[in-house]
Amino acid sequence: MAVLMTRGDNERAEIEFELDYLASLTTQQRFEMMLRKSREMAALRKRHGRRRTTEIIKRA
């Protein structure tokens, strides 16, 4: 795993680095990462007492 080192904040370099990293992954690795992050977010919601995702309520 590579680490990005920049002098100061360089958002463009960070985005390019992230895109290069994601492009280097196989489809299976991308899905595994997505599912792992989904489980992590669900665990965080559960730990903080919000088991369901935030809902948007329209008021008339």
Side-chain angles (χ1 to χ4, degrees), residues 13-60:
E14 291 176 22
I15 292 171
E16 288 294 324
F17 178 80
E18 187 70 23
L19 290 175
D20 288 342
Y21 169 71
L22 292 173
S24 72
L25 298 175
T26 65
T27 304
Q28 182 177 354
Q29 289 171 323
R30 291 181 201 173
F31 272 99
E32 288 171 359
M33 183 189 315
M34 179 185 67
L35 294 173
R36 185 172 48 248
K37 286 296 183 181
S38 294
R39 286 190 299 270
E40 181 182 328
M41 288 188 296
L44 286 171
R45 285 194 313 269
K46 185 176 181 181
R47 185 170 43 207
H48 293 285
R50 293 183 176 87
R51 293 181 183 220
R52 295 172 54 195
T53 57
T54 305
E55 297 177 3
I56 298 174
I57 302 172
K58 272 191 164 179
R59 296 184 184 190

